[in-house]
Amino acid sequence: MKELKMLYLYPDMLELYGDYGNIQVLKYRLEKRGFNCIIDKYSIGDEKPDFKSYDIIFAGGGADNEQSILSEDLIKYKEDIKEAENEGVFFLLICGAYQLFGKYYKGVEGNIIPGLEIFPYYTEAIADRKKRCIGNIVLNVNLNGQETKVIGFENHGGQTYDIPTPFGKVLFGNGNKFGDTEEGFFKENVIATYLHGPLLSKNPEVTDYIIKHCLDRKYQEDIVLEPLNDEFENLCRKQLLDRFLNIDK
């Protein structure tokens, strides 16, 4: 039986706004198609993971305090994580984790939380703690040449700069910065984004992109995923898109 192996980083500290739901959705859509799913977790004090042995590495959102603590732990594995990413392991990074994989995060007081420097962007918080990019958000995203609308919820004070390849174009909401036209960071094997919600429960096409990419990489096949019944998800998406964009899709 074909399987995918996932590593969930810091589930005890990076789990804002239901981000664990992303793992649950991946597992559900894999198992509905007859694939096996193995989920390992890593937290501070655990044995060092073999990052390259995984197909998907996931990390969710956390506040500044959690990021400061986790930065010290993550940096110990910087070269191992960079090697895993270079070899094609898929990384799904939400909010705080998105920031940690950049150059640095500069807090409200001017304190610098070092990032892993895996990717070239950086994040700086604005001085007014009450001013945040918060609310529903819709992106237009291109996945393997197919455009799809991605729905989520953003809540971040940090403003992220120098994104070479954004995840999507903002149709509704803020994005990487207040009033930005772009959101997130994207590579073939990386989705880094501020979208909570959780992201994958609202966006089956994104979930299936990740699953297919990882299966194709692991088994060196062009695997055709069996369609699932997404009628309920699509009805929910239609209502949300109608509400946010005033369109009929």
Side-chain angles (χ1 to χ4, degrees):
M1 178 187 292
K2 290 182 171 66
E3 68 178 25
L4 289 183
K5 188 178 177 185
M6 291 189 271
L7 177 63
Y8 185 4
L9 294 175
Y10 310 109
D12 53 340
M13 300 182 73
L14 295 180
E15 213 284 293
L16 284 177
Y17 311 115
D19 289 332
Y20 177 59
N22 292 306
I23 294 287
Q24 293 174 304
V25 171
L26 283 163
K27 182 175 186 291
Y28 173 82
R29 295 183 75 83
L30 277 164
E31 291 179 346
K32 288 290 286 186
R33 293 177 167 114
F35 301 115
N36 193 27
C37 178
I38 297 171
I39 300 170
D40 292 337
K41 298 178 181 180
Y42 170 79
S43 294
I44 293 175
D46 291 345
E47 184 178 346
K48 173 187 171 181
D50 179 4
F51 294 97
K52 291 191 297 181
S53 71
Y54 291 93
D55 304 296
I56 301 170
I57 295 177
F58 170 75
D64 292 10
N65 184 54
E66 283 81 7
Q67 289 189 57
S68 179
I69 295 169
L70 298 181
S71 170
E72 296 181 18
D73 192 65
L74 262 180
I75 284 175
K76 296 187 298 187
Y77 309 126
K78 176 178 175 177
E79 295 306 318
D80 298 280
I81 292 172
K82 185 178 293 186
E83 189 173 352
E85 192 275 322
N86 286 337
E87 291 193 10
V89 174
F90 199 99
F91 284 78
L92 177 60
L93 309 169
I94 307 295
C95 199
Y98 168 24
Q99 296 171 350
L100 279 171
F101 273 66
K103 291 181 178 179
Y104 65 85
Y105 175 86
K106 184 177 181 181
V108 173
E109 309 298 336
N111 56 303
I112 300 293
I113 299 174
L116 288 173
E117 299 181 279
I118 306 294
F119 308 122
Y121 53 80
Y122 64 94
T123 303
E124 297 186 353
I126 56 175
D128 186 353
R129 293 179 183 272
K130 295 181 180 179
K131 193 175 182 184
R132 301 180 65 82
C133 298
I134 183 169
N136 295 299
I137 181 169
V138 181
L139 312 178
N140 196 62
V141 172
N142 189 302
L143 298 173
N144 287 335
Q146 299 292 320
E147 291 194 350
T148 184
K149 290 180 174 59
V150 173
I151 304 168
F153 180 84
E154 59 179 339
N155 184 357
H156 57 101
Q159 310 288 285
T160 301
Y161 301 86
D162 286 359
I163 303 290
T165 51
F167 180 40
K169 178 182 177 181
V170 177
L171 303 178
F172 179 85
N174 285 289
N176 288 318
K177 302 182 291 294
F178 280 106
D180 206 346
T181 59
E182 297 174 337
E183 200 284 329
F185 172 78
F186 181 70
K187 290 178 65 177
E188 185 181 23
N189 64 314
V190 178
I191 294 176
T193 177
Y194 280 115
L195 273 63
H196 297 278
L199 168 69
L200 298 185
S201 66
K202 293 187 174 88
N203 302 285
E205 290 182 11
V206 177
T207 314
D208 287 351
Y209 168 81
I210 296 171
I211 289 173
K212 176 172 169 52
H213 175 87
C214 294
L215 288 170
D216 286 352
R217 170 183 175 267
K218 185 167 190 173
Y219 295 102
Q220 297 297 300
E221 299 177 25
D222 184 10
I223 292 175
V224 178
L225 296 181
E226 175 188 346
L228 300 181
N229 183 357
D230 293 327
E231 182 179 2
F232 179 76
E233 289 87 344
N234 288 331
L235 283 171
C236 292
R237 283 174 52 79
K238 181 181 184 306
Q239 288 197 1
L240 291 173
L241 290 171
D242 286 350
R243 184 190 309 168
F244 302 150
L245 304 179
N246 296 313
I247 62 173
D248 184 21
K249 179 182 177 182

